[in-house]
Amino acid sequence: MKNLQDFTVRLIAGANIATIVCMLLIGFSDRINPVSHPLLANIGLFFPVFLAINVGFLFFWLIVRKRMAIIPVAGLILAFVPVRTYTPLNMPEEAPKGSLKVMSYNVFNFSTWTSPDEPCPILDYVEAQRPDILCMQEFCSDGWKKDRILERLGKLYSHHRITDPKGGDPIAIFSRFPIIRTDTIHYESRANNSAAYHLLTPGGDTTIVVVNHFESTGLSKDDRRRFKAMLKGDIERKEAESESRNIWRKLAEASAIRAPQADSVAAYVERHKGKSIILTGDFNDSPISYVRHRLASVLTDCYVASANGPGISYHYNAFYVRIDNIMCSSHWEPYACRVDNGIKASDHYPIICSLERKKE
């Protein structure tokens, strides 16, 4: 009987170790360039699965055989970097008085606002939050929505710029501070873009605010709908396997397009090294991804540095992941970064962070 118990314990321990190995390989997969290895580019999406399994092992060992808990604990220590990237834990700190409040929000073309006679939840929310700098992705191109938006936000912000790619979704910035220059960051894209807005911030300093909307996942509405149905088990096995391959191929193709876009933005940041920079936007990629890692290698990820939990910012069709980000140069100290899931007027939640300018 004891031999059987020992064998079972060794078997479970082996499964725990295998889980840790997978967790580490996936956790550090954000170093792989999707251009060279597109099919490996999105395995970071599975990181929370293996993290959860390892935590499950931890509770199991604590109940069954406490000394074996060293295995999942060692796994968490070895995977500290990707674990912190995916779901950071920080001591809550209140933002110092005078900090800059920055918001990034993919507003989904204000598509849930269908009539000028109806209230607009997004505009109501912005007016309540009153960020000093508001960055928007998938902004409106024209029509009555754009007129109403500019009219209302014009009462809060003296300065704004809209950058509109041909055939794509505009990005926009609204600022309490003068915008003295705009640089378009060039890269290949059918409908997405990045721009750097030079703001004259208090004290006569110039801060470059980079707004990004990187290549989308390439999944159609029908793909997303079928993915959700697949998770629910509403699609037959053979069809589900075919659908999985199709979705994975599309995700891989989009990642291979997105990586050079992130490289172009990172190169722009590197060319302006030593200058005050705030970077925001919809990365359309998970926290464990080449895109986030590449930009975090040249800037501080404000969410990782000051937030808590996974911070899910995209919440449609069973794709629940943090794809919206705020980053900053070493000139700034981030405080209380958070994703606000209290407003559901878009397929994204807004991400907000307070930034204190460091003393020279």
Side-chain angles (χ1 to χ4, degrees), residues 119-357:
C120 178
I122 291 176
L123 293 180
D124 293 342
Y125 178 80
V126 169
E127 288 172 347
Q129 290 291 327
R130 292 181 174 267
D132 298 298
I133 299 172
L134 169 65
C135 305
M136 291 183 171
Q137 303 84 40
E138 295 193 35
F139 192 72
C140 293
S141 297
D142 50 34
W144 63 267
K145 285 185 184 180
K146 182 177 179 181
D147 294 338
R148 291 291 183 91
I149 293 164
L150 295 181
E151 179 185 355
R152 283 183 64 176
L153 292 184
K155 296 174 183 177
L156 288 179
Y157 301 100
S158 303
H159 312 278
H160 79 272
R161 295 280 175 89
I162 300 169
T163 304
D164 196 346
K166 293 180 180 178
D169 296 311
I171 55 176
I173 183 171
F174 293 83
S175 169
R176 292 200 302 108
F177 315 110
I179 303 169
I180 57 178
R181 175 179 145 197
T182 301
D183 295 336
T184 299
I185 301 175
H186 297 284
Y187 52 65
E188 289 293 325
S189 178
R190 295 185 295 271
N192 303 93
N193 63 335
S194 298
Y197 306 96
H198 295 240
L199 275 57
L200 191 61
T201 42
D205 293 332
T206 299
T207 294
I208 302 172
V209 180
V210 183
V211 183
N212 303 281
H213 186 210
F214 292 136
E215 198 74 18
S216 71
T217 58
L219 301 181
S220 66
K221 288 183 180 179
D222 188 57
D223 289 331
R224 296 170 192 268
R225 180 186 60 77
R226 292 177 65 80
F227 176 75
K228 189 173 184 178
M230 189 168 56
L231 292 181
K232 289 182 176 180
D234 295 339
I235 297 178
E236 292 183 4
R237 182 175 176 180
K238 182 176 281 189
E239 187 181 357
E241 290 176 355
S242 174
E243 190 66 27
S244 297
R245 287 194 294 270
N246 178 55
I247 288 174
W248 198 255
R249 177 184 57 79
K250 288 186 176 182
L251 290 174
E253 290 171 354
S255 294
I257 296 172
R258 216 162 28 240
Q261 296 174 358
D263 288 337
S264 295
V265 173
Y268 179 91
V269 171
E270 288 169 329
R271 287 196 300 273
H272 294 81
K273 188 176 180 179
K275 295 186 178 180
S276 168
I277 296 174
I278 299 170
L279 183 145
T280 74
D282 174 5
F283 287 9
N284 272 312
D285 228 330
S286 74
I288 310 297
S289 66
Y290 176 86
V291 167
R292 194 219 66 92
H293 176 73
R294 179 69 179 95
L295 291 168
S297 71
V298 294
L299 294 169
T300 298
D301 185 324
C302 297
Y303 191 88
V304 174
S306 66
N308 289 286
I312 305 302
S313 67
Y314 185 82
H315 58 96
Y316 267 30
N317 297 112
F319 281 86
Y320 303 113
V321 67
R322 185 174 82 247
I323 63 176
D324 298 273
N325 295 271
I326 297 176
M327 298 185 178
C328 65
S329 63
S330 59
H331 302 77
W332 301 93
E333 186 69 37
Y335 288 88
C337 191
R338 63 190 176 93
V339 173
D340 190 348
N341 61 6
I343 176 169
K344 295 178 169 62
S346 168
D347 54 349
H348 292 244
Y349 297 130
I351 183 169
I352 305 166
C353 189
S354 294
L355 299 173
E356 182 190 34
R357 184 65 188 258

Side-chain angles (χ1 to χ4, degrees), residues 64-132:
V64 175
R65 191 168 292 194
K66 288 184 174 60
R67 64 186 180 86
M68 299 298 288
I70 189 65
I71 297 175
V73 169
L76 292 173
I77 293 171
L78 290 171
F80 174 79
V81 171
V83 169
R84 178 166 168 74
T85 296
Y86 185 83
T87 178
L89 291 174
N90 294 285
M91 290 294 292
E93 287 188 84
E94 191 173 332
K97 188 177 180 180
S99 297
L100 207 64
K101 188 175 184 179
V102 179
M103 179 190 295
S104 181
Y105 196 178
N106 183 316
V107 292
F108 199 28
N109 302 118
F110 288 83
S111 58
T112 58
W113 186 25
T114 57
S115 167
D117 299 323
E118 296 176 352
C120 178
I122 291 176
L123 293 180
D124 293 342
Y125 178 80
V126 169
E127 288 172 347
Q129 290 291 327
R130 292 181 174 267
D132 298 298

